[in-house]
Structure formats: C-alpha cells, structure tokens
Amino acid sequence: MKLLLVEDDQPLATALQQAFVRENYAVDVADNGASADQLLSTETYDLLVLDLGLPQMDGQDVLRKLRARGDRLPVIILTARSGLDHKIVGLDLGADDYMTKPFELSELLARVRANLRRGANQTKPTIDHGRIKYDTVAKRVYVDDQELSLRAKELGVLETLLRSVGRVLSKQQLAQHLYSFDDNSSDNAIEIYIHRLRKQLPKDSFHLRTVRGIGYLLEPPE
Ligand code: CA
C-alpha cells in the first residue's frame, strides 16, 4: 500500500512519515499543493492524507482537481482549520474523512486502515488467480486455502503482478509500487523477490515469464 502525505509542517510530516513506514506503508511526501497535484496526476496511490493550508496550491484545490479527474482515491483531510464550514467544504469536495489538529496518531492510523479497507472494497478485496488467492486488505496470500508466509516486499511485488496479469511490467514499474521515491531500490532486489516468489508459488498457477531486457509478464492461470 502506498500513501501520499501532503503536509508543509516539516516536523509533523517527518513524524507521520515515520509512523506510516512503521506500519509497512510506502510513503511519498509533498510539502506544497503544486507538487502534490503533480504527483497525484502521475503516480498511483492507495490513499491521500492531505493538509488544507498549503503553499502554492491550497489543499482544497488539490482535492477539487483530483476529483475533477474522476479519481476516487480515498482522502483524509488533516487540518488546523477546525470550523464546521471547513469540514463541510472538505467533505463536499469529496474527502472521505477529516481530522482536526491536534490529533492522536493512533486515531489517524485507525482511520487510514479504515479508509484503505473501504477503498479496496470499491474495487475487489481478494484476487483469485488459479490456486492462488490474494487478500488485498489483510495482505495475505493463500494457495489452496493454505496461507503462505511471504515478506512485505514479496507481497507487494506479487500484488502488483496480480493486478497486471497479461501485461509486461518492467523492474522499474515493480519498484515504483514498492518504494517511496527517496528509498534506495535496485533491480537486483526485485530479482531476488521474484526468485523467492517463483520458489514458493505453485508453477501451475504462477506462470511468470521473464521478458528479456524488459521485465516480467504474469500469464493468466490455467
Ligand atoms: Ca499547513
């Protein structure tokens, strides 16, 4: 799961980023509205945590533009503006949830989980692929209803592959879904995750082709 955090208060942004990483989310951080808008138009996220009072472009405008593109990304607004008017404006613009500063970190994390769950339910919470069943909310993978124990990054690679059946994915594309842009990712690491997945998943349900010089292609199950 990858979050975008938009917050111009540097100490708060750093604290939240660390908290999200501890929860095993990949996180990108933007400190102004314009770069948030840019990231939201080019990258794929599972949830947006958005401050309203931002330099360059107000959070309300970021949200308005996001919804105008037809993007249904779950959005939690995080703001010092506590007036009811702001709350109504935010929800009218299509925010899913609203938290007023100061807030409890544990409550924000609970709301992140709830909104991710709701977001996943709008699409499909489980992916069935031959004998493989992947629960996108609980982040668990089953083969013939038997749970496999995979590491977080391996699960991330598997989820990306399962969402892109029949399409060639480059190592860079796989890495993009796995890491924040300031993480060090390497093609080598992706190869290791792929190697582990191939070892652990049944061959009849996990036909992963290596497309030389390009990347990987997961074939539809038999
Ligand atoms: Ca602010």
Short mmCIF file of all heavy atoms in Angstrom, two decimals, residues 7-73:
data_model
loop_
_atom_site.label_atom_id
_atom_site.label_comp_id
_atom_site.label_asym_id
_atom_site.label_seq_id
_atom_site.Cartn_x
_atom_site.Cartn_y
_atom_site.Cartn_z
N GLU A 7 1.88 17.69 3.51
CA GLU A 7 1.95 18.43 4.77
C GLU A 7 3.16 19.35 4.72
O GLU A 7 4.27 18.91 4.43
CB GLU A 7 2.07 17.41 5.93
CG GLU A 7 2.32 18.01 7.29
CD GLU A 7 1.25 18.99 7.71
OE1 GLU A 7 0.12 18.57 8.03
OE2 GLU A 7 1.54 20.20 7.69
N ASP A 8 2.95 20.66 4.96
CA ASP A 8 4.07 21.60 4.88
C ASP A 8 4.74 21.85 6.23
O ASP A 8 5.77 22.51 6.30
CB ASP A 8 3.61 22.93 4.26
CG ASP A 8 2.54 23.62 5.10
OD1 ASP A 8 1.72 22.90 5.70
OD2 ASP A 8 2.53 24.86 5.14
N ASP A 9 4.16 21.33 7.30
CA ASP A 9 4.80 21.42 8.62
C ASP A 9 5.84 20.29 8.70
O ASP A 9 5.49 19.12 8.87
CB ASP A 9 3.71 21.27 9.69
CG ASP A 9 4.28 21.29 11.10
OD1 ASP A 9 5.48 20.98 11.29
OD2 ASP A 9 3.51 21.59 12.03
N GLN A 10 7.11 20.67 8.56
CA GLN A 10 8.18 19.69 8.39
C GLN A 10 8.27 18.67 9.55
O GLN A 10 8.30 17.47 9.29
CB GLN A 10 9.53 20.42 8.21
CG GLN A 10 10.61 19.55 7.60
CD GLN A 10 10.25 19.05 6.22
OE1 GLN A 10 9.90 19.84 5.35
NE2 GLN A 10 10.28 17.74 6.01
N PRO A 11 8.28 19.12 10.82
CA PRO A 11 8.37 18.13 11.91
C PRO A 11 7.18 17.16 11.91
O PRO A 11 7.35 15.96 12.12
CB PRO A 11 8.37 18.99 13.18
CG PRO A 11 8.83 20.34 12.74
CD PRO A 11 8.34 20.51 11.33
N LEU A 12 5.98 17.70 11.65
CA LEU A 12 4.80 16.82 11.62
C LEU A 12 4.90 15.84 10.46
O LEU A 12 4.61 14.65 10.60
CB LEU A 12 3.52 17.66 11.51
CG LEU A 12 2.21 16.87 11.46
CD1 LEU A 12 2.02 16.01 12.71
CD2 LEU A 12 1.01 17.81 11.29
N ALA A 13 5.32 16.34 9.29
CA ALA A 13 5.45 15.47 8.11
C ALA A 13 6.43 14.33 8.39
O ALA A 13 6.15 13.17 8.07
CB ALA A 13 5.92 16.29 6.90
N THR A 14 7.55 14.66 9.02
CA THR A 14 8.55 13.64 9.31
C THR A 14 8.00 12.60 10.30
O THR A 14 8.17 11.40 10.10
CB THR A 14 9.82 14.30 9.89
OG1 THR A 14 10.27 15.29 8.96
CG2 THR A 14 10.91 13.29 10.13
N ALA A 15 7.33 13.09 11.34
CA ALA A 15 6.78 12.17 12.35
C ALA A 15 5.74 11.24 11.72
O ALA A 15 5.73 10.03 11.97
CB ALA A 15 6.15 12.96 13.49
N LEU A 16 4.87 11.79 10.86
CA LEU A 16 3.83 10.97 10.23
C LEU A 16 4.44 9.97 9.26
O LEU A 16 4.04 8.81 9.20
CB LEU A 16 2.81 11.86 9.51
CG LEU A 16 1.90 12.69 10.41
CD1 LEU A 16 0.96 13.55 9.57
CD2 LEU A 16 1.09 11.79 11.34
N GLN A 17 5.43 10.46 8.49
CA GLN A 17 6.09 9.57 7.53
C GLN A 17 6.68 8.36 8.27
O GLN A 17 6.51 7.22 7.85
CB GLN A 17 7.19 10.33 6.79
CG GLN A 17 7.88 9.48 5.74
CD GLN A 17 8.97 10.25 5.03
OE1 GLN A 17 9.48 11.25 5.53
NE2 GLN A 17 9.31 9.81 3.83
N GLN A 18 7.36 8.63 9.38
CA GLN A 18 7.97 7.54 10.15
C GLN A 18 6.91 6.58 10.67
O GLN A 18 7.08 5.36 10.65
CB GLN A 18 8.79 8.10 11.30
CG GLN A 18 10.11 8.70 10.82
CD GLN A 18 10.81 9.54 11.89
OE1 GLN A 18 10.24 9.78 12.96
NE2 GLN A 18 12.02 9.99 11.61
N ALA A 19 5.80 7.14 11.14
CA ALA A 19 4.72 6.29 11.66
C ALA A 19 4.14 5.40 10.55
O ALA A 19 3.89 4.22 10.75
CB ALA A 19 3.61 7.16 12.27
N PHE A 20 3.96 5.97 9.35
CA PHE A 20 3.42 5.18 8.23
C PHE A 20 4.39 4.08 7.81
O PHE A 20 3.98 2.96 7.50
CB PHE A 20 3.11 6.10 7.03
CG PHE A 20 1.95 7.04 7.27
CD1 PHE A 20 1.94 8.30 6.69
CD2 PHE A 20 0.87 6.67 8.04
CE1 PHE A 20 0.88 9.18 6.89
CE2 PHE A 20 -0.20 7.53 8.25
CZ PHE A 20 -0.19 8.79 7.67
N VAL A 21 5.68 4.42 7.80
CA VAL A 21 6.68 3.42 7.41
C VAL A 21 6.68 2.27 8.42
O VAL A 21 6.78 1.11 8.04
CB VAL A 21 8.07 4.08 7.26
CG1 VAL A 21 9.18 3.03 7.16
CG2 VAL A 21 8.09 4.99 6.04
N ARG A 22 6.54 2.62 9.72
CA ARG A 22 6.47 1.56 10.75
C ARG A 22 5.29 0.63 10.51
O ARG A 22 5.33 -0.54 10.87
CB ARG A 22 6.34 2.18 12.15
CG ARG A 22 7.67 2.60 12.76
CD ARG A 22 7.53 2.78 14.27
NE ARG A 22 6.51 3.75 14.65
CZ ARG A 22 6.73 5.07 14.73
NH1 ARG A 22 7.93 5.56 14.48
NH2 ARG A 22 5.77 5.89 15.07
N GLU A 23 4.22 1.16 9.91
CA GLU A 23 3.05 0.33 9.60
C GLU A 23 3.20 -0.39 8.26
O GLU A 23 2.23 -0.95 7.75
CB GLU A 23 1.78 1.19 9.55
CG GLU A 23 1.45 1.91 10.84
CD GLU A 23 0.99 0.98 11.95
OE1 GLU A 23 0.09 0.17 11.70
OE2 GLU A 23 1.56 1.05 13.05
N ASN A 24 4.40 -0.31 7.69
CA ASN A 24 4.70 -1.01 6.43
C ASN A 24 4.03 -0.40 5.19
O ASN A 24 3.85 -1.07 4.18
CB ASN A 24 4.31 -2.49 6.49
CG ASN A 24 5.45 -3.30 7.07
OD1 ASN A 24 6.62 -3.01 6.77
ND2 ASN A 24 5.13 -4.28 7.87
N TYR A 25 3.67 0.88 5.26
CA TYR A 25 3.19 1.55 4.05
C TYR A 25 4.38 2.19 3.36
O TYR A 25 5.31 2.66 4.02
CB TYR A 25 2.19 2.66 4.38
CG TYR A 25 0.97 2.23 5.15
CD1 TYR A 25 0.62 2.84 6.34
CD2 TYR A 25 0.15 1.21 4.67
CE1 TYR A 25 -0.50 2.45 7.06
CE2 TYR A 25 -0.98 0.82 5.38
CZ TYR A 25 -1.30 1.44 6.57
OH TYR A 25 -2.41 1.06 7.27
N ALA A 26 4.35 2.24 2.04
CA ALA A 26 5.30 3.08 1.31
C ALA A 26 4.71 4.49 1.32
O ALA A 26 3.50 4.65 1.20
CB ALA A 26 5.47 2.58 -0.11
N VAL A 27 5.55 5.50 1.49
CA VAL A 27 5.04 6.86 1.63
C VAL A 27 5.83 7.83 0.76
O VAL A 27 7.06 7.86 0.82
CB VAL A 27 5.16 7.39 3.08
CG1 VAL A 27 4.34 8.66 3.25
CG2 VAL A 27 4.75 6.35 4.09
N ASP A 28 5.14 8.63 -0.03
CA ASP A 28 5.74 9.81 -0.65
C ASP A 28 5.25 11.02 0.14
O ASP A 28 4.12 11.02 0.63
CB ASP A 28 5.30 9.96 -2.11
CG ASP A 28 6.01 8.96 -3.03
OD1 ASP A 28 7.00 8.35 -2.59
OD2 ASP A 28 5.56 8.81 -4.17
N VAL A 29 6.10 12.03 0.23
CA VAL A 29 5.72 13.24 0.96
C VAL A 29 5.85 14.45 0.04
O VAL A 29 6.84 14.59 -0.67
CB VAL A 29 6.62 13.46 2.21
CG1 VAL A 29 6.17 14.69 2.99
CG2 VAL A 29 6.59 12.23 3.10
N ALA A 30 4.82 15.30 0.02
CA ALA A 30 4.89 16.57 -0.70
C ALA A 30 4.67 17.68 0.31
O ALA A 30 3.85 17.53 1.22
CB ALA A 30 3.82 16.61 -1.79
N ASP A 31 5.42 18.79 0.17
CA ASP A 31 5.27 19.87 1.15
C ASP A 31 4.57 21.10 0.57
O ASP A 31 4.55 22.16 1.19
CB ASP A 31 6.63 20.25 1.76
CG ASP A 31 7.60 20.80 0.74
OD1 ASP A 31 7.20 20.93 -0.45
OD2 ASP A 31 8.74 21.11 1.10
N ASN A 32 4.00 20.94 -0.63
CA ASN A 32 3.19 22.04 -1.18
C ASN A 32 2.13 21.47 -2.12
O ASN A 32 2.24 20.32 -2.58
CB ASN A 32 4.07 23.07 -1.88
CG ASN A 32 4.69 22.54 -3.15
OD1 ASN A 32 4.00 22.42 -4.17
ND2 ASN A 32 5.96 22.18 -3.11
N GLY A 33 1.11 22.28 -2.39
CA GLY A 33 -0.02 21.80 -3.16
C GLY A 33 0.31 21.49 -4.61
O GLY A 33 -0.22 20.54 -5.19
N ALA A 34 1.21 22.28 -5.20
CA ALA A 34 1.53 22.09 -6.62
C ALA A 34 2.23 20.75 -6.84
O ALA A 34 1.89 20.01 -7.77
CB ALA A 34 2.40 23.25 -7.12
N SER A 35 3.19 20.41 -5.99
CA SER A 35 3.86 19.13 -6.22
C SER A 35 2.94 17.97 -5.85
O SER A 35 3.02 16.90 -6.46
CB SER A 35 5.22 19.04 -5.52
OG SER A 35 5.08 19.27 -4.16
N ALA A 36 2.02 18.16 -4.89
CA ALA A 36 1.03 17.13 -4.60
C ALA A 36 0.18 16.87 -5.85
O ALA A 36 -0.05 15.72 -6.24
CB ALA A 36 0.14 17.56 -3.45
N ASP A 37 -0.27 17.94 -6.48
CA ASP A 37 -1.11 17.82 -7.67
C ASP A 37 -0.36 17.08 -8.78
O ASP A 37 -0.91 16.21 -9.46
CB ASP A 37 -1.52 19.23 -8.13
CG ASP A 37 -2.45 19.18 -9.32
OD1 ASP A 37 -3.49 18.49 -9.23
OD2 ASP A 37 -2.14 19.81 -10.34
N GLN A 38 0.91 17.43 -8.93
CA GLN A 38 1.76 16.80 -9.94
C GLN A 38 1.89 15.29 -9.67
O GLN A 38 1.69 14.46 -10.56
CB GLN A 38 3.14 17.48 -9.91
CG GLN A 38 4.25 16.79 -10.67
CD GLN A 38 4.05 16.92 -12.17
OE1 GLN A 38 3.38 17.84 -12.64
NE2 GLN A 38 4.61 15.97 -12.92
N LEU A 39 2.18 14.93 -8.41
CA LEU A 39 2.34 13.51 -8.05
C LEU A 39 1.03 12.75 -8.25
O LEU A 39 1.03 11.63 -8.75
CB LEU A 39 2.79 13.38 -6.59
CG LEU A 39 4.26 13.72 -6.32
CD1 LEU A 39 4.50 13.83 -4.82
CD2 LEU A 39 5.17 12.66 -6.93
N LEU A 40 -0.09 13.38 -7.87
CA LEU A 40 -1.38 12.70 -7.98
C LEU A 40 -1.77 12.48 -9.43
O LEU A 40 -2.52 11.54 -9.73
CB LEU A 40 -2.46 13.51 -7.25
CG LEU A 40 -2.37 13.49 -5.73
CD1 LEU A 40 -3.22 14.58 -5.11
CD2 LEU A 40 -2.77 12.11 -5.18
N SER A 41 -1.27 13.31 -10.34
CA SER A 41 -1.62 13.10 -11.75
C SER A 41 -0.71 12.07 -12.42
O SER A 41 -1.04 11.59 -13.49
CB SER A 41 -1.54 14.39 -12.58
OG SER A 41 -1.54 15.52 -11.79
N THR A 42 0.43 11.76 -11.79
CA THR A 42 1.36 10.87 -12.48
C THR A 42 1.59 9.54 -11.75
O THR A 42 1.90 8.55 -12.39
CB THR A 42 2.74 11.55 -12.68
OG1 THR A 42 3.18 12.06 -11.42
CG2 THR A 42 2.64 12.70 -13.66
N GLU A 43 1.44 9.52 -10.44
CA GLU A 43 1.74 8.31 -9.68
C GLU A 43 0.44 7.63 -9.23
O GLU A 43 -0.62 8.24 -9.26
CB GLU A 43 2.56 8.64 -8.43
CG GLU A 43 3.84 9.39 -8.70
CD GLU A 43 4.94 8.48 -9.20
OE1 GLU A 43 5.08 7.37 -8.67
OE2 GLU A 43 5.65 8.87 -10.15
N THR A 44 0.56 6.38 -8.79
CA THR A 44 -0.60 5.66 -8.28
C THR A 44 -0.48 5.49 -6.77
O THR A 44 0.54 5.00 -6.29
CB THR A 44 -0.69 4.27 -8.94
OG1 THR A 44 -0.61 4.44 -10.35
CG2 THR A 44 -2.00 3.60 -8.61
N TYR A 45 -1.51 5.93 -6.07
CA TYR A 45 -1.51 5.78 -4.61
C TYR A 45 -2.77 5.04 -4.17
O TYR A 45 -3.75 4.94 -4.92
CB TYR A 45 -1.48 7.17 -3.94
CG TYR A 45 -0.21 7.92 -4.23
CD1 TYR A 45 -0.18 8.94 -5.19
CD2 TYR A 45 0.97 7.61 -3.57
CE1 TYR A 45 1.00 9.61 -5.48
CE2 TYR A 45 2.15 8.27 -3.84
CZ TYR A 45 2.16 9.27 -4.80
OH TYR A 45 3.32 9.93 -5.08
N ASP A 46 -2.73 4.55 -2.92
CA ASP A 46 -3.89 3.88 -2.35
C ASP A 46 -4.65 4.80 -1.40
O ASP A 46 -5.81 4.53 -1.08
CB ASP A 46 -3.45 2.62 -1.60
CG ASP A 46 -2.78 1.64 -2.53
OD1 ASP A 46 -3.46 1.11 -3.41
OD2 ASP A 46 -1.55 1.45 -2.42
N LEU A 47 -3.99 5.88 -0.95
CA LEU A 47 -4.65 6.80 -0.03
C LEU A 47 -3.88 8.11 0.02
O LEU A 47 -2.66 8.13 -0.12
CB LEU A 47 -4.71 6.18 1.38
CG LEU A 47 -5.44 7.01 2.43
CD1 LEU A 47 -6.58 6.21 3.04
CD2 LEU A 47 -4.52 7.46 3.54
N LEU A 48 -4.63 9.20 0.21
CA LEU A 48 -4.04 10.53 0.32
C LEU A 48 -4.35 11.12 1.69
O LEU A 48 -5.52 11.14 2.10
CB LEU A 48 -4.61 11.42 -0.78
CG LEU A 48 -4.34 12.93 -0.71
CD1 LEU A 48 -2.86 13.24 -0.85
CD2 LEU A 48 -5.14 13.67 -1.79
N VAL A 49 -3.31 11.57 2.39
CA VAL A 49 -3.50 12.34 3.63
C VAL A 49 -3.13 13.77 3.30
O VAL A 49 -1.99 14.06 2.93
CB VAL A 49 -2.63 11.78 4.78
CG1 VAL A 49 -2.80 12.63 6.03
CG2 VAL A 49 -3.00 10.33 5.07
N LEU A 50 -4.12 14.66 3.39
CA LEU A 50 -3.97 15.99 2.81
C LEU A 50 -4.20 17.10 3.83
O LEU A 50 -5.29 17.22 4.40
CB LEU A 50 -4.99 16.12 1.66
CG LEU A 50 -5.05 17.44 0.90
CD1 LEU A 50 -3.78 17.66 0.10
CD2 LEU A 50 -6.26 17.45 -0.03
N ASP A 51 -3.19 17.92 4.03
CA ASP A 51 -3.33 19.15 4.81
C ASP A 51 -4.06 20.17 3.93
O ASP A 51 -3.95 20.13 2.70
CB ASP A 51 -1.91 19.64 5.17
CG ASP A 51 -1.92 20.90 6.03
OD1 ASP A 51 -2.92 21.13 6.74
OD2 ASP A 51 -0.92 21.64 5.98
N LEU A 52 -4.81 21.09 4.54
CA LEU A 52 -5.53 22.07 3.72
C LEU A 52 -4.71 23.35 3.47
O LEU A 52 -4.62 23.84 2.35
CB LEU A 52 -6.88 22.44 4.35
CG LEU A 52 -7.99 21.41 4.23
CD1 LEU A 52 -9.31 22.01 4.72
CD2 LEU A 52 -8.16 20.89 2.81
N GLY A 53 -4.12 23.89 4.54
CA GLY A 53 -3.35 25.13 4.39
C GLY A 53 -1.96 24.82 3.86
O GLY A 53 -1.10 24.36 4.59
N LEU A 54 -1.77 25.03 2.56
CA LEU A 54 -0.51 24.65 1.91
C LEU A 54 0.01 25.78 1.04
O LEU A 54 -0.79 26.53 0.47
CB LEU A 54 -0.75 23.44 0.98
CG LEU A 54 -1.08 22.10 1.61
CD1 LEU A 54 -1.57 21.15 0.54
CD2 LEU A 54 0.13 21.52 2.33
N PRO A 55 1.33 25.89 0.90
CA PRO A 55 1.87 26.88 -0.05
C PRO A 55 1.61 26.46 -1.50
O PRO A 55 1.44 25.27 -1.78
CB PRO A 55 3.38 26.89 0.26
CG PRO A 55 3.66 25.66 1.04
CD PRO A 55 2.38 25.17 1.63
N GLN A 56 1.58 27.43 -2.37
CA GLN A 56 1.45 27.27 -3.84
C GLN A 56 0.06 26.87 -4.33
O GLN A 56 -0.46 27.47 -5.24
CB GLN A 56 2.50 26.31 -4.41
CG GLN A 56 3.91 26.87 -4.26
CD GLN A 56 4.94 25.98 -4.90
OE1 GLN A 56 4.75 25.53 -6.01
NE2 GLN A 56 6.01 25.75 -4.17
N MET A 57 -0.51 25.82 -3.73
CA MET A 57 -1.88 25.49 -4.10
C MET A 57 -2.56 24.97 -2.84
O MET A 57 -2.03 24.11 -2.15
CB MET A 57 -1.91 24.42 -5.19
CG MET A 57 -3.31 24.13 -5.72
SD MET A 57 -3.36 22.66 -6.79
CE MET A 57 -2.46 23.24 -8.21
N ASP A 58 -3.72 25.51 -2.53
CA ASP A 58 -4.45 25.12 -1.34
C ASP A 58 -4.89 23.66 -1.43
O ASP A 58 -5.13 23.15 -2.53
CB ASP A 58 -5.69 26.03 -1.25
CG ASP A 58 -6.36 25.94 0.09
OD1 ASP A 58 -5.94 26.65 1.01
OD2 ASP A 58 -7.30 25.12 0.22
N GLY A 59 -4.97 23.00 -0.26
CA GLY A 59 -5.40 21.61 -0.24
C GLY A 59 -6.77 21.39 -0.87
O GLY A 59 -7.03 20.37 -1.50
N GLN A 60 -7.66 22.38 -0.69
CA GLN A 60 -8.99 22.25 -1.30
C GLN A 60 -8.91 22.18 -2.82
O GLN A 60 -9.65 21.44 -3.46
CB GLN A 60 -9.86 23.45 -0.90
CG GLN A 60 -10.28 23.42 0.57
CD GLN A 60 -11.21 24.56 0.92
OE1 GLN A 60 -11.72 25.26 0.05
NE2 GLN A 60 -11.45 24.74 2.21
N ASP A 61 -7.98 22.96 -3.39
CA ASP A 61 -7.82 22.94 -4.85
C ASP A 61 -7.20 21.62 -5.31
O ASP A 61 -7.56 21.09 -6.37
CB ASP A 61 -6.96 24.12 -5.31
CG ASP A 61 -7.69 25.44 -5.14
OD1 ASP A 61 -8.94 25.43 -5.24
OD2 ASP A 61 -7.03 26.46 -4.90
N VAL A 62 -6.27 21.09 -4.52
CA VAL A 62 -5.67 19.80 -4.84
C VAL A 62 -6.78 18.74 -4.92
O VAL A 62 -6.87 17.95 -5.86
CB VAL A 62 -4.61 19.39 -3.79
CG1 VAL A 62 -4.11 17.98 -4.04
CG2 VAL A 62 -3.45 20.38 -3.78
N LEU A 63 -7.65 18.76 -3.89
CA LEU A 63 -8.74 17.80 -3.82
C LEU A 63 -9.75 18.01 -4.97
O LEU A 63 -10.19 17.05 -5.61
CB LEU A 63 -9.44 17.94 -2.46
CG LEU A 63 -10.59 16.99 -2.16
CD1 LEU A 63 -10.17 15.54 -2.34
CD2 LEU A 63 -11.11 17.22 -0.73
N ARG A 64 -10.07 19.27 -5.24
CA ARG A 64 -11.02 19.57 -6.31
C ARG A 64 -10.51 19.04 -7.65
O ARG A 64 -11.22 18.40 -8.41
CB ARG A 64 -11.24 21.09 -6.38
CG ARG A 64 -12.41 21.49 -7.26
CD ARG A 64 -12.60 22.99 -7.28
NE ARG A 64 -13.05 23.54 -5.99
CZ ARG A 64 -12.39 24.44 -5.27
NH1 ARG A 64 -11.24 24.93 -5.71
NH2 ARG A 64 -12.87 24.88 -4.14
N LYS A 65 -9.21 19.26 -7.90
CA LYS A 65 -8.63 18.81 -9.17
C LYS A 65 -8.57 17.27 -9.26
O LYS A 65 -8.80 16.69 -10.31
CB LYS A 65 -7.23 19.41 -9.36
CG LYS A 65 -7.26 20.92 -9.60
CD LYS A 65 -5.89 21.49 -9.84
CE LYS A 65 -5.37 21.11 -11.21
NZ LYS A 65 -4.11 21.83 -11.53
N LEU A 66 -8.27 16.66 -8.12
CA LEU A 66 -8.22 15.19 -8.08
C LEU A 66 -9.57 14.59 -8.46
O LEU A 66 -9.67 13.69 -9.31
CB LEU A 66 -7.83 14.73 -6.67
CG LEU A 66 -7.81 13.23 -6.40
CD1 LEU A 66 -6.54 12.61 -6.96
CD2 LEU A 66 -7.91 12.93 -4.91
N ARG A 67 -10.64 15.10 -7.84
CA ARG A 67 -11.98 14.56 -8.12
C ARG A 67 -12.43 14.94 -9.53
O ARG A 67 -13.16 14.17 -10.17
CB ARG A 67 -12.97 15.08 -7.08
CG ARG A 67 -12.74 14.59 -5.66
CD ARG A 67 -12.67 13.08 -5.55
NE ARG A 67 -12.61 12.62 -4.16
CZ ARG A 67 -11.84 11.63 -3.73
NH1 ARG A 67 -11.06 10.96 -4.58
NH2 ARG A 67 -11.85 11.27 -2.46
N ALA A 68 -11.98 16.10 -10.02
CA ALA A 68 -12.36 16.51 -11.38
C ALA A 68 -11.76 15.55 -12.41
O ALA A 68 -12.29 15.38 -13.50
CB ALA A 68 -11.89 17.94 -11.64
N ARG A 69 -10.66 14.89 -12.06
CA ARG A 69 -10.07 13.90 -12.97
C ARG A 69 -10.78 12.56 -12.86
O ARG A 69 -10.40 11.60 -13.52
CB ARG A 69 -8.58 13.70 -12.64
CG ARG A 69 -7.67 14.85 -13.02
CD ARG A 69 -6.20 14.45 -12.95
NE ARG A 69 -5.73 14.20 -11.59
CZ ARG A 69 -5.24 15.15 -10.76
NH1 ARG A 69 -5.14 16.39 -11.19
NH2 ARG A 69 -4.85 14.85 -9.56
N GLY A 70 -11.78 12.49 -11.98
CA GLY A 70 -12.52 11.23 -11.81
C GLY A 70 -11.81 10.24 -10.91
O GLY A 70 -12.17 9.07 -10.85
N ASP A 71 -10.80 10.72 -10.19
CA ASP A 71 -10.03 9.85 -9.31
C ASP A 71 -10.78 9.64 -7.99
O ASP A 71 -11.13 10.61 -7.33
CB ASP A 71 -8.66 10.49 -9.05
CG ASP A 71 -7.65 9.50 -8.50
OD1 ASP A 71 -8.06 8.62 -7.71
OD2 ASP A 71 -6.47 9.61 -8.85
N ARG A 72 -11.01 8.39 -7.62
CA ARG A 72 -11.78 8.10 -6.40
C ARG A 72 -10.88 7.70 -5.23
O ARG A 72 -11.33 7.10 -4.25
CB ARG A 72 -12.80 7.00 -6.68
CG ARG A 72 -13.83 7.43 -7.72
CD ARG A 72 -14.76 6.29 -8.08
NE ARG A 72 -15.55 5.86 -6.93
CZ ARG A 72 -16.17 4.70 -6.85
NH1 ARG A 72 -16.08 3.85 -7.84
NH2 ARG A 72 -16.87 4.39 -5.79
N LEU A 73 -9.61 8.05 -5.32
CA LEU A 73 -8.65 7.77 -4.26
C LEU A 73 -9.20 8.19 -2.88
O LEU A 73 -9.69 9.31 -2.74
CB LEU A 73 -7.37 8.57 -4.56
CG LEU A 73 -6.20 8.48 -3.59
CD1 LEU A 73 -5.59 7.10 -3.65
CD2 LEU A 73 -5.15 9.53 -3.94
#
